[in-house]
Amino acid sequence: MRTYTSQSAILSDIQSGQLKLRDLVQHYLRQIEGNKHLNAFLETFSEEALARAAEVEQRIQSGKAGKLAGMVISLKDNICYKGHKVSASSKILAGFESLYSATVVERILEEDAIIIGRTNCDEFAMGASTENSAFGPVLNYADTTRVPGGSSGGCAVSVQADMCLASLGSDTGGSIRQPAAFCGLYGLKPTYGRISRWGLIAYASSFDQIGPVTKSVEDMALLLEVMAGADGHDATASSKPAEAYSKLLNSDKKYKIAYIKDCLDSEGIDAEVKAQTLVTIEQLKAAGHEVVSVEFPYLDYMVPTYYVLTTAEASSNLARFSGLHYGYRSANATDMESSFRKSRSEGFGPEVKRRIMLGTLVLSAEHYDAYYTKGLKVRRVIRNATDALLKDNDFLLLPTTPTPAFKLGEKAANPVSMYLADIFTVQANISGNPAVTIPVGKHSNGMPYGLQLMGRHFEEASLLAFAKQVMNEQATAT
Ligand code: GLN
C-alpha cells in the first residue's frame, strides 16, 4: 500500500478504482497492530471503521459523499465520541463512556470521515512529552528513544507512522504544534473560539482549542473548514462564519512578516533550528516578502503567566472528578470524605496533582490577587502587544520549539525544564491567536522540527495560504 499524504490523493484513487477504502482502513489497522510498541493508540474502533469504510465507499461511487470522504482519523483521548470510552489518559476516568459526541466529532462524521480509534496523551493534556499518561509513554516513530512531544503525542505518532491520515488533538499551550513539529507534521491551533470545545474534556477552558494534525496544509484547511463555526453548546465558540479555507489556499500575495530576534538568541535554542529559521527568513525575502526583526519584551513572562492561569483553571475544572459521578472510585474508602480523598489520590497521576495544588494556591484567598489577578493582567498586556505586532505585520514567525524531540526521561524529573519546552508555543494560547507549525527541517540527528507561523484573530484563511507559500518556496529553493 502506498503512503498517502492527502485526502485528495486517496479520493482520486478510490474514484479511479485503484483503491478500496476498506483496504486502506485494513492497512492502517495493520500499521497500528505492527507498531504497538509505539503505544500511540489506547483503543481502535476496528469493526466500526471497516463497516463505515464500505458505506462511505458507496457514497463516493454514487457521487454523494461528504467533504471528508476517504479521510481516516484518530481522536485524542480527551475528545468525546458517544458510546465510546474516553479517559484523558487518566486512571480516574477508568471505564467511563461518552454520553454524547463532541461537536467536532459530529461535524467530521457528517462529512464522511472515518474514526479509527483513540490515541494516548499526557494525562488531562498536561505535559509536553506524553510521558504523563497513566498508560505509559508514546515513542517517536523516527527514533524510539525519543519522545513524540505532547500532550497530543499519540495523535502525532498515529499520523507519523501511517496508522491514519489525520488526527484531532487539543492545544492549550502547544499540545498540537509541538508534537506535530517533533514528528515532522503539520498542526494547527485555531483562534480561540474558532472551533467549539463542546465534548472536549477541559484542562484550561480559556486556553483550550481543538485542532488537526496532518501531512498536508490542504487537509489541515479542510478539517478546519468542517469543524469551525458557531455552536449552541459552547458560548465561547464564535458566531463569525467559517470560511471555505481549503479553497483559499492559493495566494501569491507578498506579506510583511515579523520575527522576534530575542527568540532566536534565547538560551537553549538548538544551533541548527536557529540556522534553518534564518535560512527560511532569507528565502522569504528572496521571494519578495518583507521580513523584519521586532522587539517583544515579554518572553520571560510567557511560561509563568501560562502556568499561573492554566493551573488555576485546571484546579477548578478537575474538581468534578470526585469518584462520585464518573470513573474510578477507591475501594479503600470508608465514608464520603475519604471516598473523595482516596479516589482522587489514587486516580490522578503526579503531574495532575502538582497542577491542582498549584492552581489551588493561585486561587486561594491570600494569593489570589498576587497570582491570579496579576496573571490576568499580564495576559492582557501580552495579548495587546501581540495584537499591536500583528497590526503592523501580517504574520509572526518563530521556531515551533527550541530543539527537536528530546530523549525519553530527559526532562521527566525536572518539571520546569519540561515547561520550558513550550516557550514558543504558549504565546498563541495566552493571546488567543491562530498558529500553525509546518515541517521545515531535519536535524543532523535525524529528527524533524518545525517552523511556527502566527496570524491575526480569525484570519486562518491567510495564515494557511501563507503556510502553503512557505512550503512551496522552500521546495523551490532546495
Ligand atoms: N505542555 C503544555 C502543558 O503541559 C501544553 C499542554 C497542552 O497544550 N495541552 O501545559
Side-chain angles (χ1 to χ4, degrees), residues 125-128 151 171-175 203 306-307 355 422:
M126 297 175 184
S151 62
D171 191 312
T172 306
S175 276
Y203 155 20
Y306 171 81
Y307 279 95
R355 295 197 192 193
D422 295 320

PDB file of all heavy atoms in Angstrom, residues 125-128 151 171-175 203 306-307 355 422, ligand 1:
ATOM      1  N   ALA A 125      -4.120  16.172  29.258  1.00  0.00           N
ATOM      2  CA  ALA A 125      -3.391  17.063  28.330  1.00  0.00           C
ATOM      3  C   ALA A 125      -2.336  17.909  29.027  1.00  0.00           C
ATOM      4  O   ALA A 125      -1.951  18.960  28.524  1.00  0.00           O
ATOM      5  CB  ALA A 125      -4.369  17.936  27.539  1.00  0.00           C
ATOM      6  N   MET A 126      -1.861  17.428  30.174  1.00  0.00           N
ATOM      7  CA  MET A 126      -0.852  18.196  30.919  1.00  0.00           C
ATOM      8  C   MET A 126       0.517  17.584  30.700  1.00  0.00           C
ATOM      9  O   MET A 126       0.885  16.603  31.350  1.00  0.00           O
ATOM     10  CB  MET A 126      -1.191  18.186  32.409  1.00  0.00           C
ATOM     11  CG  MET A 126      -2.514  18.875  32.697  1.00  0.00           C
ATOM     12  SD  MET A 126      -2.935  18.724  34.435  1.00  0.00           S
ATOM     13  CE  MET A 126      -4.553  19.489  34.427  1.00  0.00           C
ATOM     14  N   GLY A 127       1.259  18.185  29.776  1.00  0.00           N
ATOM     15  CA  GLY A 127       2.602  17.678  29.524  1.00  0.00           C
ATOM     16  C   GLY A 127       3.086  18.057  28.150  1.00  0.00           C
ATOM     17  O   GLY A 127       2.329  18.610  27.339  1.00  0.00           O
ATOM     18  N   ALA A 128       4.357  17.776  27.888  1.00  0.00           N
ATOM     19  CA  ALA A 128       4.962  18.129  26.611  1.00  0.00           C
ATOM     20  C   ALA A 128       5.751  16.950  26.041  1.00  0.00           C
ATOM     21  O   ALA A 128       6.607  17.124  25.186  1.00  0.00           O
ATOM     22  CB  ALA A 128       5.868  19.347  26.795  1.00  0.00           C
ATOM     23  N   SER A 151       0.970  17.486  24.562  1.00  0.00           N
ATOM     24  CA  SER A 151       0.358  16.296  25.092  1.00  0.00           C
ATOM     25  C   SER A 151      -0.276  15.389  24.035  1.00  0.00           C
ATOM     26  O   SER A 151      -0.569  14.236  24.338  1.00  0.00           O
ATOM     27  CB  SER A 151      -0.710  16.694  26.111  1.00  0.00           C
ATOM     28  OG  SER A 151      -1.724  17.462  25.500  1.00  0.00           O
ATOM     29  N   ASP A 171      -4.987  21.776  22.016  1.00  0.00           N
ATOM     30  CA  ASP A 171      -3.806  22.601  22.222  1.00  0.00           C
ATOM     31  C   ASP A 171      -4.148  23.682  23.243  1.00  0.00           C
ATOM     32  O   ASP A 171      -4.995  24.543  22.997  1.00  0.00           O
ATOM     33  CB  ASP A 171      -3.404  23.222  20.873  1.00  0.00           C
ATOM     34  CG  ASP A 171      -2.046  23.902  20.875  1.00  0.00           C
ATOM     35  OD1 ASP A 171      -1.798  24.703  21.810  1.00  0.00           O
ATOM     36  OD2 ASP A 171      -1.253  23.672  19.952  1.00  0.00           O
ATOM     37  N   THR A 172      -3.513  23.606  24.395  1.00  0.00           N
ATOM     38  CA  THR A 172      -3.739  24.570  25.476  1.00  0.00           C
ATOM     39  C   THR A 172      -2.526  25.481  25.616  1.00  0.00           C
ATOM     40  O   THR A 172      -2.639  26.645  26.012  1.00  0.00           O
ATOM     41  CB  THR A 172      -3.994  23.798  26.800  1.00  0.00           C
ATOM     42  OG1 THR A 172      -5.050  22.866  26.581  1.00  0.00           O
ATOM     43  CG2 THR A 172      -4.351  24.723  27.949  1.00  0.00           C
ATOM     44  N   GLY A 173      -1.359  24.915  25.259  1.00  0.00           N
ATOM     45  CA  GLY A 173      -0.117  25.701  25.319  1.00  0.00           C
ATOM     46  C   GLY A 173       0.886  25.233  24.277  1.00  0.00           C
ATOM     47  O   GLY A 173       2.055  25.600  24.323  1.00  0.00           O
ATOM     48  N   GLY A 174       0.429  24.384  23.366  1.00  0.00           N
ATOM     49  CA  GLY A 174       1.345  23.881  22.329  1.00  0.00           C
ATOM     50  C   GLY A 174       1.127  22.421  22.002  1.00  0.00           C
ATOM     51  O   GLY A 174       1.839  21.845  21.181  1.00  0.00           O
ATOM     52  N   SER A 175       0.137  21.816  22.616  1.00  0.00           N
ATOM     53  CA  SER A 175      -0.030  20.360  22.537  1.00  0.00           C
ATOM     54  C   SER A 175      -0.363  19.782  21.174  1.00  0.00           C
ATOM     55  O   SER A 175      -0.291  18.570  20.998  1.00  0.00           O
ATOM     56  CB  SER A 175      -1.097  19.900  23.520  1.00  0.00           C
ATOM     57  OG  SER A 175      -0.509  19.738  24.775  1.00  0.00           O
ATOM     58  N   TYR A 203      -9.138  21.230  30.205  1.00  0.00           N
ATOM     59  CA  TYR A 203      -7.938  21.396  31.044  1.00  0.00           C
ATOM     60  C   TYR A 203      -7.970  22.838  31.529  1.00  0.00           C
ATOM     61  O   TYR A 203      -8.235  23.104  32.696  1.00  0.00           O
ATOM     62  CB  TYR A 203      -6.710  20.984  30.230  1.00  0.00           C
ATOM     63  CG  TYR A 203      -5.372  21.576  30.620  1.00  0.00           C
ATOM     64  CD1 TYR A 203      -5.142  22.115  31.890  1.00  0.00           C
ATOM     65  CD2 TYR A 203      -4.314  21.566  29.719  1.00  0.00           C
ATOM     66  CE1 TYR A 203      -3.901  22.655  32.223  1.00  0.00           C
ATOM     67  CE2 TYR A 203      -3.072  22.094  30.059  1.00  0.00           C
ATOM     68  CZ  TYR A 203      -2.874  22.648  31.305  1.00  0.00           C
ATOM     69  OH  TYR A 203      -1.660  23.186  31.617  1.00  0.00           O
ATOM     70  N   TYR A 306       1.350  31.568  31.730  1.00  0.00           N
ATOM     71  CA  TYR A 306       0.621  30.377  31.292  1.00  0.00           C
ATOM     72  C   TYR A 306       0.367  29.434  32.470  1.00  0.00           C
ATOM     73  O   TYR A 306      -0.753  28.958  32.665  1.00  0.00           O
ATOM     74  CB  TYR A 306       1.418  29.669  30.179  1.00  0.00           C
ATOM     75  CG  TYR A 306       0.861  28.322  29.801  1.00  0.00           C
ATOM     76  CD1 TYR A 306      -0.220  28.221  28.927  1.00  0.00           C
ATOM     77  CD2 TYR A 306       1.387  27.149  30.337  1.00  0.00           C
ATOM     78  CE1 TYR A 306      -0.752  26.979  28.601  1.00  0.00           C
ATOM     79  CE2 TYR A 306       0.860  25.908  30.018  1.00  0.00           C
ATOM     80  CZ  TYR A 306      -0.205  25.832  29.144  1.00  0.00           C
ATOM     81  OH  TYR A 306      -0.737  24.606  28.836  1.00  0.00           O
ATOM     82  N   TYR A 307       1.389  29.163  33.263  1.00  0.00           N
ATOM     83  CA  TYR A 307       1.221  28.182  34.343  1.00  0.00           C
ATOM     84  C   TYR A 307       0.392  28.707  35.516  1.00  0.00           C
ATOM     85  O   TYR A 307      -0.326  27.943  36.162  1.00  0.00           O
ATOM     86  CB  TYR A 307       2.566  27.580  34.780  1.00  0.00           C
ATOM     87  CG  TYR A 307       2.955  26.480  33.812  1.00  0.00           C
ATOM     88  CD1 TYR A 307       3.796  26.734  32.738  1.00  0.00           C
ATOM     89  CD2 TYR A 307       2.388  25.211  33.913  1.00  0.00           C
ATOM     90  CE1 TYR A 307       4.081  25.752  31.798  1.00  0.00           C
ATOM     91  CE2 TYR A 307       2.666  24.218  32.994  1.00  0.00           C
ATOM     92  CZ  TYR A 307       3.512  24.493  31.934  1.00  0.00           C
ATOM     93  OH  TYR A 307       3.770  23.520  31.012  1.00  0.00           O
ATOM     94  N   ARG A 355      -0.388  20.176  39.471  1.00  0.00           N
ATOM     95  CA  ARG A 355      -1.076  21.343  38.903  1.00  0.00           C
ATOM     96  C   ARG A 355      -2.331  21.703  39.698  1.00  0.00           C
ATOM     97  O   ARG A 355      -2.661  22.870  39.838  1.00  0.00           O
ATOM     98  CB  ARG A 355      -1.401  21.092  37.436  1.00  0.00           C
ATOM     99  CG  ARG A 355      -0.116  20.958  36.632  1.00  0.00           C
ATOM    100  CD  ARG A 355      -0.334  21.108  35.170  1.00  0.00           C
ATOM    101  NE  ARG A 355       0.864  20.700  34.445  1.00  0.00           N
ATOM    102  CZ  ARG A 355       1.090  20.941  33.177  1.00  0.00           C
ATOM    103  NH1 ARG A 355       0.205  21.593  32.460  1.00  0.00           N
ATOM    104  NH2 ARG A 355       2.203  20.539  32.596  1.00  0.00           N
ATOM    105  N   ASP A 422       7.758  24.580  25.997  1.00  0.00           N
ATOM    106  CA  ASP A 422       6.645  25.299  25.343  1.00  0.00           C
ATOM    107  C   ASP A 422       6.893  26.776  25.163  1.00  0.00           C
ATOM    108  O   ASP A 422       5.972  27.528  24.866  1.00  0.00           O
ATOM    109  CB  ASP A 422       5.385  25.180  26.207  1.00  0.00           C
ATOM    110  CG  ASP A 422       4.917  23.778  26.298  1.00  0.00           C
ATOM    111  OD1 ASP A 422       4.975  23.097  25.272  1.00  0.00           O
ATOM    112  OD2 ASP A 422       4.513  23.364  27.395  1.00  0.00           O
TER     113      ASP A 422
HETATM  114  N1  GLN B   1       2.915  21.367  27.562  1.00  0.00           N
HETATM  115  C1  GLN B   1       1.925  22.302  27.997  1.00  0.00           C
HETATM  116  C2  GLN B   1       1.418  21.901  29.346  1.00  0.00           C
HETATM  117  O1  GLN B   1       1.901  20.954  29.882  1.00  0.00           O
HETATM  118  C3  GLN B   1       0.830  22.395  26.994  1.00  0.00           C
HETATM  119  C4  GLN B   1      -0.172  21.323  27.106  1.00  0.00           C
HETATM  120  C5  GLN B   1      -1.302  21.494  26.173  1.00  0.00           C
HETATM  121  O2  GLN B   1      -1.260  22.287  25.235  1.00  0.00           O
HETATM  122  N2  GLN B   1      -2.367  20.776  26.445  1.00  0.00           N
HETATM  123  O3  GLN B   1       0.549  22.523  29.894  1.00  0.00           O
END
